[in-house]
Amino acid sequence: FLMDELANIHNLKKYENICKQCRAIIMDPPWNNKSVRRSQKYPVVTLPAIAKIPLHMFMHPQGCAIFVWVTNNDKYIRFVREELFPRYHIEYITTWMWLKITDEIVPVLPLHSTHRKPYEQVIVGWYNGHHQKGQPTKATTSAARQS
């Protein structure tokens, strides 16, 4: 298991023992949005910086599932599907929706809210190591509740 800040990605030597060993990579980039800019809780990252993440150094040559959390911004969704995935020969598989619900099991916001959405998206891709199309043989799903 590896978890680190994007700013530290340049120092890959410390991760040498896991290079090319990952069967799954979960990315939750600090996307730029109004809420983050207002709160200034954490720094955001540019699309060119995300595109430069050396995923090829971590993906297992016999296959790796890639999960990328995205905001509900078409620009970021297109970036992952049309730029990031093709750059590393990752095949788009599907998009999962994470519906945020209350303890009463209702969405935290109306589904058709024009301002904010009660869900986030996870774009799922598959790298088969041979630069050819091919899907994983198994898939796992999960759900979470927001209190």
Side-chain angles (χ1 to χ4, degrees), residues 61-72:
Q62 293 178 354
C64 180
I66 315 295
F67 304 88
V68 184
W69 285 95
V70 293
T71 65
N72 294 307

Side-chain angles (χ1 to χ4, degrees), residues 122-141:
V122 181
I123 300 175
V124 181
W126 177 253
Y127 171 77
N128 76 357
H130 302 291
H131 308 304
Q132 299 171 358
K133 292 190 174 202
Q135 295 186 8
T137 55
K138 296 180 182 177
T140 304
T141 60

Side-chain angles (χ1 to χ4, degrees), residues 44-97:
V44 296
V45 68
T46 64
L47 297 183
I50 293 171
K52 289 180 184 175
I53 296 171
L55 292 174
H56 63 283
M57 294 190 72
F58 299 102
M59 297 184 295
H60 195 285
Q62 293 178 354
C64 180
I66 315 295
F67 304 88
V68 184
W69 285 95
V70 293
T71 65
N72 294 307
N73 181 320
D74 289 337
K75 174 180 164 182
Y76 299 140
I77 294 165
R78 277 193 312 277
F79 167 77
V80 172
R81 290 187 60 179
E82 298 172 13
E83 293 183 46
L84 184 67
F85 279 11
R87 179 183 187 107
Y88 294 104
H89 306 283
I90 297 167
E91 179 184 2
Y92 168 77
I93 300 298
T94 192
T95 298
W96 289 343
M97 306 300 274

